[in-house]
């Protein structure tokens, strides 16, 4: 955009270079997984994947595919580093995070390689901001080994009705119990809090449910504190796919549409709560 | 009996089964929200003539009650066994009563968290009591076939009932919610109390600043409300009543949302003010707020009252010492409150209440002959007080038979009777139709407080009641909770005692009168 030609000559030194007209396409997706300060960023020719983990039990991945950027160059098979996500988001939204019609912030993101800071150049209405964020040594991230072949139950539904259920979750409950079954009540979310229990039932023939593939009854509990952050992704999303594999691991995939109608995915994995005492209700 | 056993070993015993249609869910939700701004516990009581939701604030200076009539519901069954399986009806009636319970306000609020989404998504709401699990069940049937079930833990308790009257109050205002909301908006958010002043020619609302360390340094806000803007005005006694703004806001929030007019009924300072909202026959709401007993105001008002109004209304005057004394004794009352359980409270409160009156009567007596005249009127007032209670019997007791078996508690002994008044009142209150009987309550407004009670009456309880009765009288129990608010006594006991006091009244009128005179 308004970046000088001289700079573009320097661009050769970067292993990763990405340009984007509207920074919100990236910042909103990153917000959906922003429940921990530190994130690991993986860049590949496919695009960016940003991973956030908590308690070795939950993992959130945001995928920003290469097509979201109008310019995306990567010189290596894979580039990865850890970065402070809070700071990254603050920089990306330095011109404000709310959408103002007709005004968009453009972004140029550069990374020169191992040990180098991530450089951001943001421009809005001729105002330039240069940011340099230190990168950290990448750690290994969790591998949940969640294979679609092991998935026992799967539902795809519109996010709308889940949003309400999730935003009203009784946080005095330790766990969120998810029941998926080919028989009634089909799909049930339960909490067991101080004031009693709460169940939300979603019938499989509801017009909110787009796909219902449940093969056997499964009742699993997940720490509510681990799942609660996924509300951020849920509120942004249009559809959600809920999958549970044979080990009780939960995968939540959110389809998020941005203002230009492009689709990105955010994915949450969560391990089941260990001490599942014989589940009632 | 058989019926009962059968059900307990087999199916889940469900008491009460109400279905709120989608169009009314918003009102119900708003009611819960409004109640949540007053108290921390929600008393749910399915009655034959509707579902009552009540609460009282922590200092017991405010009481709120919503009564949703059966017509408010798509389906209404109070669980008294009268509408389910007609064959087992008679057997059940004797042993089972409708259940009264209380739940944490917070937990109920989670059910009706967002009134906006309720309105948009909920198609109907079922309310059930599961006696096996001790759960109050709210089941929201939403769009898209989604069902949200909230099983809330409850505690069985006695009925929460403020004894108040509104229909013989000398002063009555009726206004749109809008008018009052606009008026109240002018006060600062941290304003604790407001004073409502009514005179035949004007209505004023101002912030109460006299408890400020330096009243000259705070903002004084005074609004003059145009009488024309009210739907109805009736001013029998010039009065200045000071009450809490917070609770008033809770009321207004509901009234504004439902766009219903509010009626205010009140007397003079120190007597409760009643806000009521009535929606045809679907539901009614009553909020009873204690008003500040202010020496200055009181004296002024009483002198005015003496010259202007009928004798009946003048008993309200309180001199400073009596207020103090009753505050002191408040503590002792509280202590004894916590000491006991069972059905004793009401009786005790009753006597407490009476003692308070005795006191306010006694002190003035030492001062002037004029005051003495007032004490006579107080007697009349006291007898009215007893009659007040009778109304509640009609209103809330389904256990009349049971109660009438009890011995007459001594409380009734404290009743000072001026026979004529009683006679008339009794006739009116004798009506078995609850809703109308309430209309006929006398102007005295004692509010009775008590802790939630254990449900079953045992002989022990009754004995205890009698004992406490005596204790209480020695303690010179008195009044009110917070600040200088004069007491409002809320009774869960209303029914027990009132029933007996009614008996007492019918049987022993003359004797009782003498008793009280001795005490005085």
């Amino acid at each position: 955009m308004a970046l000088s030609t001289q700079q573009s000559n320097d661009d050769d030194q970067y292993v990763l270079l990405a340009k984007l007209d509207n920074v919100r396409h990236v910042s909103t997706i990153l917000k959906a997984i922003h429940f921990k300060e530190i994130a690991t960023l993986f860049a590949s020719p496919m695009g960016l994947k940003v991973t956030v983990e908590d308690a070795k039990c939950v993992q959130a991945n945001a995928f920003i595919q290469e097509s979201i950027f109008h310019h995306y160059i990567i010189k290596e098979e894979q580039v990865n580093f850890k970065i402070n996500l809070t700071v990254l988001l603050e920089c990306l939204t330095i011109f404000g995070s709310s959408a103002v019609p007709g005004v968009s912030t453009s972004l140029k993101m550069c990374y020169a390689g191992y040990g180098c800071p991530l450089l951001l150049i943001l421009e809005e209405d001729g105002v330039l901001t240069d940011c340099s964020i230190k990168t950290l040594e990448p750690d290994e991230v969790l591998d949940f080994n969640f294979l679609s072949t092991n998935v026992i139950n799967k539902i795809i539904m519109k996010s709308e009705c889940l949003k309400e259920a999730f935003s009203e979750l009784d946080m005095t409950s330790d766990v969120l119990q998810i029941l998926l079954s080919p028989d009634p009540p089909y799909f049930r979310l339960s909490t067991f809090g101080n004031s009693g229990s709460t169940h939300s039932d979603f019938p499989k023939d509801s017009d909110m449910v787009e796909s219902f593939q449940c093969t056997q009854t499964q009742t699993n509990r997940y720490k509510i504190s681990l799942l609660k952050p996924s509300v951020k992704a849920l509120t942004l999303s249009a559809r959600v796919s809920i999958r549970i594999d044979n080990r009780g691991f939960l995968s939540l995939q959110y389809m998020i549409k941005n203002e230009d109608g492009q689709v990105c995915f955010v994915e949450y994995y969560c391990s089941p709560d260990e001490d599942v005492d014989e589940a009632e209700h | 009996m058989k019926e009962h056993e059968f059900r307990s070993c087999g199916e889940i015993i469900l008491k009460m089964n109400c279905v709120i249609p989608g169009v009314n869910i918003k009102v119900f939700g708003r009611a819960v929200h409004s109640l949540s701004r007053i108290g921390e516990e929600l008393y749910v009581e399915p009655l034959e003539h509707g579902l009552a939701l009540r609460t009282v604030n922590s200092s017991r200076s405010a009481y709120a009650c919503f009564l949703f009539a059966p017509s408010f519901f798509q389906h209404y069954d109070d669980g008294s066994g009268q509408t389910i399986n007609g064959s087992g009806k008679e057997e059940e009636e004797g042993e089972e009563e409708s259940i009264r319970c209380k739940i944490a306000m917070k937990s109920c609020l989670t059910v009706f968290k967002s009134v906006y989404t309720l309105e948009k998504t909920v198609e109907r709401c079922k309310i059930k009591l599961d006696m096996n699990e001790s759960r109050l069940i709210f089941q929201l049937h939403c769009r898209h076939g989604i069902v949200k079930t909230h099983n809330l833990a409850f505690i069985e308790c006695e009925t929460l009932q403020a004894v108040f009257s509104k229909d013989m109050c000398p002063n009555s205002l009726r206004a749109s919610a809008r008018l009052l909301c606009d008026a109240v908006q002018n006060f600062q958010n941290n304003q604790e109390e407001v004073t409502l002043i009514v005179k035949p020619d004007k209505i004023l609302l101002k912030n109460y600043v006299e408890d400020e360390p330096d009243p000259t340094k705070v903002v004084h806000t005074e609004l003059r409300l145009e009488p024309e803007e009210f739907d109805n005005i009736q001013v029998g006694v010039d009065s200045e009543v000071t009450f809490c703004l917070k609770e008033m806001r809770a009321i207004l929030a509901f009234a504004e949302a439902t766009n219903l007019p509010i009626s205010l009924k009140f007397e003079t300072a120190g007597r409760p003010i009643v806000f009521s909202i009535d929606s045809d026959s679907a539901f009614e709401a009553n909020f009873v707020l204690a008003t500040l007993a202010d020496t200055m105001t009181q004296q002024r008002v009483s002198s005015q009252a003496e010259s202007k109004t009928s004798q009946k209304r003048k008993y309200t005057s309180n001199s400073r010492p009596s207020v103090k004394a009753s505050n002191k004794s408040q503590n002792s009352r509280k202590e004894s409150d916590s000491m006991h359980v069972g059905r004793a409270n009401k009786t005790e409160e009753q006597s407490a209440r009476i003692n308070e009156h005795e006191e306010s009567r006694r002190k003035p007596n030492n001062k002037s002959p004029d005051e003495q005249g007032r004490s006579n009127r107080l007697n009349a007032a006291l007898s009215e007080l007893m009659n007040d209670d009778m109304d509640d019997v009609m209103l809330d007791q389904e256990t009349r038979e049971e109660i009438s078996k009890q011995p007459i508690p001594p409380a009734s002994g404290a009743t000072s009777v001026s026979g004529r008044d009683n006679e008339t009142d009794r006739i009116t209150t004798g009506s078995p139709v609850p809703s109308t009987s309430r209309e006929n309550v006398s102007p005295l407004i004692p509010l009775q407080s008590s802790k939630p009670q254990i449900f079953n009456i045992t002989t022990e309880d009754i004995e205890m009641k009698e004992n406490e009765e005596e204790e209480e009288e020695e303690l010179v129990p008195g009044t009110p909770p917070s600040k200088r608010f004069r007491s409002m006594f809320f009774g869960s006991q209303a029914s027990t005692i009132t029933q007996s006091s009614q008996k007492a009244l019918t049987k022993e009128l003359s004797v009782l009168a003498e008793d009280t005179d001795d005490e005085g």
Side-chain angles (χ1 to χ4, degrees):
Chain A
M1 296 220 60
L3 307 169
S4 68
T5 44
Q6 195 194 346
Q7 263 180 319
S8 33
N9 295 336
D10 297 339
D11 286 349
D12 295 342
Q13 59 179 304
Y14 300 118
V15 293
L16 172 69
L17 177 72
K19 289 183 194 171
L20 180 67
D21 282 346
N22 189 350
V23 72
R24 280 169 49 78
H25 295 170
V26 170
S27 59
T28 43
I29 302 287
L30 292 183
K31 274 184 199 161
I33 58 161
H34 183 214
F35 61 91
K36 275 277 167 182
E37 190 138 274
I38 303 297
T40 311
L41 192 143
F42 300 87
S44 72
M46 306 277 288
L48 298 179
K49 181 179 106 171
V50 184
T51 302
V52 179
E53 291 176 347
D54 191 17
K56 297 270 181 210
C57 289
V58 68
Q59 183 185 71
N61 296 305
F63 300 97
I64 305 162
Q65 64 270 35
E66 162 267 335
S67 61
I68 298 288
F69 302 94
H70 83 265
H71 191 82
Y72 184 88
I73 297 166
I74 183 161
K75 289 181 181 162
E76 291 172 21
E77 224 11 70
Q78 188 166 59
V79 173
N80 50 354
F81 53 86
K82 276 204 302 188
I83 194 163
N84 187 319
L85 184 59
T86 313
V87 174
L88 175 61
L89 273 169
E90 271 173 19
C91 293
L92 292 177
T93 56
I94 201 156
F95 289 110
S97 56
S98 58
V100 182
V103 182
S104 63
T105 310
S106 58
L107 166 73
K108 180 181 168 188
M109 185 164 73
C110 322
Y111 177 65
Y114 181 80
C116 298
L118 181 71
L119 300 175
L120 303 177
I121 300 157
L122 293 130
E123 188 261 8
E124 181 177 308
D125 274 347
V127 182
L128 271 178
T129 305
D130 269 296
C131 308
S132 169
I133 306 169
K134 280 179 185 158
T135 56
L136 307 168
E137 189 85 33
D139 287 337
E140 232 172 81
V141 293
L142 297 171
D143 181 5
F144 280 79
N145 195 27
F146 193 95
L147 303 169
S148 49
T149 47
N150 291 336
V151 167
I152 290 179
N153 293 313
K154 178 181 176 185
I155 289 188
I156 298 175
M157 59 199 299
K158 289 181 183 146
S159 303
E160 193 186 322
C161 57
L162 266 192
K163 276 177 204 171
E164 210 189 303
F166 264 81
S167 61
E168 286 176 4
L169 283 182
D170 178 2
M171 293 307 285
T172 63
S173 171
D174 280 344
V175 293
L176 172 69
Q177 180 177 294
I178 300 180
L179 178 149
L180 281 171
S181 167
D183 308 307
Y186 305 114
F187 175 37
R188 166 175 280 188
L189 299 175
S190 308
T191 54
F192 309 89
N194 294 341
S195 56
S197 60
T198 302
H199 309 292
S200 299
D201 297 347
F202 304 83
K204 68 169 181 179
D205 53 357
S206 166
D207 46 1
M208 285 285 121
V209 177
E210 301 194 336
S211 157
F212 186 89
Q213 297 160 30
C214 292
T215 54
Q216 70 185 66
T217 304
Q218 256 187 320
T219 308
N220 290 294
R221 295 185 170 196
Y222 304 90
K223 283 257 181 293
I224 208 162
S225 54
L226 296 178
L227 280 187
K228 186 71 179 177
S230 67
V231 170
K232 287 181 179 177
L234 184 63
T235 48
L236 291 169
S237 67
R239 282 197 186 93
V240 56
S241 150
I242 301 161
R243 297 180 299 164
I244 297 179
D245 73 3
N246 55 349
R247 301 163 302 166
F249 279 67
L250 173 71
S251 150
L252 299 166
Q253 288 179 326
Y254 301 97
M255 193 185 91
I256 299 173
K257 271 191 185 167
N258 68 18
E259 292 139 36
D260 295 349
Q262 293 163 304
V263 173
C264 291
F265 286 94
V266 168
E267 179 180 61
Y268 274 79
Y269 289 114
C270 188
S271 59
D273 203 17
E274 269 302 313
D275 39 71
V276 183
D277 23 306
E278 219 39 273
E280 277 291 307
H281 292 292
Chain B
M1 227 23 195
K2 220 187 284 169
E3 175 74 19
H4 182 75
E5 276 163 19
F6 168 73
R7 286 208 287 165
S8 52
C9 59
E11 295 285 295
I12 300 166
I13 298 179
L14 288 178
K15 289 216 168 195
M16 169 165 93
N17 188 5
C18 318
V19 182
I20 305 171
V23 287
N24 283 343
I25 191 77
K26 188 178 91 172
V27 172
F28 197 85
R30 294 258 184 220
V32 171
H33 277 265
S34 164
L35 289 168
S36 74
R37 293 171 72 165
I38 291 176
E40 282 168 6
E41 280 167 332
L42 181 68
Y43 292 74
V44 178
E45 187 175 342
L47 301 167
E48 200 185 325
H49 56 282
L51 179 68
L53 298 186
R54 310 179 222 253
T55 194
V56 61
N57 70 349
S58 54
S59 59
R60 301 204 157 229
S61 61
Y63 162 90
C65 172
F66 279 86
L67 183 70
F68 296 97
S71 62
F72 179 84
F73 299 91
Q74 198 174 318
H75 171 78
Y76 184 80
D77 170 13
D78 66 338
S80 60
Q82 277 150 8
T83 40
I84 0 170
N85 44 33
S87 58
K89 173 185 167 184
E90 284 190 9
E91 285 165 301
E92 275 183 345
E93 262 182 292
E95 61 182 297
E96 293 191 37
E97 321 166 6
S98 69
I99 288 293
R100 308 173 182 90
C101 62
K102 62 172 180 180
I103 54 175
M105 190 64 83
K106 252 194 203 162
S107 57
C108 192
L109 211 51
T110 55
V111 181
F112 301 100
K113 205 179 245 169
S114 157
V115 178
Y116 176 72
T117 47
L118 276 182
E119 190 184 3
K120 259 184 31 183
T121 64
V122 179
E123 284 167 351
R124 64 184 190 282
C125 170
K126 284 186 187 168
I127 307 172
K128 292 181 274 194
L129 268 170
D130 179 346
M131 298 312 292
N132 288 3
E133 303 271 326
S134 283
R135 289 289 183 272
L136 181 64
I137 304 171
F138 288 92
Q139 206 165 51
L140 303 173
H141 294 253
C142 309
R143 282 186 317 173
H144 313 300
I146 299 163
V147 180
K148 290 178 194 164
T149 312
H150 298 263
N151 304 305
L152 308 181
F154 69 80
I155 301 173
E156 263 182 58
C157 64
E158 263 299 344
T159 179
L160 175 79
Q161 179 64 53
V163 183
F164 62 94
S165 69
K166 51 176 183 173
D167 294 286
M168 287 177 74
C169 280
N171 298 331
S172 154
L173 302 176
R174 189 179 158 89
S176 68
R178 189 70 259 152
L179 174 71
L180 294 173
C181 285
D182 286 348
V184 161
Q185 259 173 18
N186 294 290
F187 297 107
Q188 291 179 334
N189 283 334
N190 58 1
Q191 181 64 44
E192 295 216 358
E193 291 115 21
V194 288
T195 305
L196 175 68
I197 303 164
V198 289
K199 300 208 166 123
D201 55 329
K202 62 178 177 184
I203 298 163
L204 297 174
L205 194 62
K206 65 178 187 184
N207 60 341
Y208 182 79
V209 292
E210 271 147 63
D211 56 348
E212 296 288 336
D214 186 356
T216 56
K217 285 192 178 159
V218 292
V219 177
H220 291 242
T221 310
E222 184 171 310
L223 296 156
R224 189 180 173 132
L225 304 173
E226 286 301 318
E228 294 79 47
E229 291 186 34
F230 286 81
D231 300 345
N232 179 41
I233 295 181
Q234 184 194 326
V235 179
V237 188
D238 291 5
S239 58
E240 285 191 38
V241 285
T242 303
F243 46 87
C244 276
L245 186 56
K246 179 183 164 235
E247 278 91 15
M248 187 188 181
R249 286 204 164 111
I251 302 156
L252 293 179
F254 177 81
E256 194 181 20
T258 51
N259 201 18
L260 289 168
I262 305 179
S263 299
L264 288 75
K265 308 264 171 138
F266 56 100
E267 275 172 84
T268 48
R271 312 297 310 162
I273 180 168
V274 183
F275 291 78
S276 36
I277 297 166
D278 210 327
S279 160
D280 293 329
S281 54
F283 67 88
E284 65 168 78
N286 284 300
F287 294 79
V288 187
L289 308 188
T291 64
L292 217 55
D294 183 286
T295 332
M296 292 300 289
T297 320
Q298 286 279 337
Q299 279 165 357
R300 198 170 350 137
V301 168
S302 66
S303 64
Q304 282 167 350
E306 232 136 293
S307 58
K308 280 183 188 166
T309 61
S310 77
Q311 184 196 24
K312 225 181 175 182
R313 281 166 191 152
K314 279 175 282 176
Y315 61 82
T316 45
S317 58
N318 254 351
S319 57
R320 190 74 187 168
S322 84
V323 174
K324 264 189 198 156
S326 54
N327 273 337
K328 232 185 285 161
S329 53
Q330 162 71 7
N331 297 332
S332 54
R333 185 178 66 82
K334 272 198 175 152
E335 280 162 27
S336 58
D337 252 5
S338 56
M339 272 159 46
H340 67 271
V341 285
R343 291 206 152 212
N345 269 359
K346 164 69 182 273
T347 324
E348 171 190 87
E349 307 292 355
Q350 189 72 53
S351 72
R353 181 68 196 186
I354 284 156
N355 275 320
E356 184 198 340
H357 277 281
E358 294 294 330
E359 185 141 23
S360 54
R361 187 177 57 166
R362 222 177 291 135
K363 303 233 167 159
N365 268 355
N366 301 334
K367 286 176 186 166
S368 72
D370 175 51
E371 300 283 336
Q372 207 156 12
R374 192 181 295 152
S375 81
N376 291 335
R377 292 190 294 277
L378 199 68
N379 271 343
L382 280 171
S383 64
E384 284 168 358
L385 175 146
M386 297 312 289
N387 281 330
D388 260 359
D389 294 338
M390 277 185 259
D391 295 316
D392 293 302
V393 177
M394 301 308 170
L395 246 171
D396 295 314
Q397 256 316 346
E398 263 111 9
T399 58
R400 248 169 291 163
E401 296 90 339
E402 190 183 351
I403 285 152
S404 57
K405 286 176 211 149
Q406 292 171 49
I408 298 158
S412 40
T415 329
S416 68
V417 173
S418 70
R420 185 180 39 80
D421 277 341
N422 263 319
E423 210 60 53
T424 44
D425 276 343
R426 190 151 23 92
I427 290 161
T428 50
T429 55
S431 153
V433 185
S435 53
T436 52
S437 66
R438 176 179 267 187
E439 310 298 309
N440 296 315
V441 183
S442 73
L444 235 206
I445 310 167
L447 290 166
Q448 300 184 326
S449 86
S450 86
K451 307 195 151 190
Q453 303 279 312
I454 291 162
F455 196 53
N456 298 320
I457 307 171
T458 64
T459 37
E460 258 177 63
D461 288 329
I462 294 162
E463 277 163 28
M464 205 141 104
K465 170 163 63 189
E466 290 175 15
N467 293 340
E468 247 132 38
E469 180 70 24
E470 282 156 25
E471 254 174 62
E472 203 50 44
E473 294 194 11
E474 279 159 31
L475 289 171
V476 194
T479 22
S482 70
K483 291 187 142 186
R484 307 114 300 168
F485 279 112
R486 272 203 57 201
S487 112
M488 311 228 323
F489 288 153
F490 299 98
S492 56
Q493 280 306 307
S495 26
T496 323
I497 292 58
T498 52
Q499 186 65 35
S500 16
S501 60
Q502 190 178 19
K503 276 182 90 183
L505 286 169
T506 42
K507 288 181 187 167
E508 306 171 43
L509 275 182
S510 53
V511 183
L512 292 176
E514 276 171 27
D515 277 349
T516 335
D517 280 351
D518 289 343
E519 261 177 32

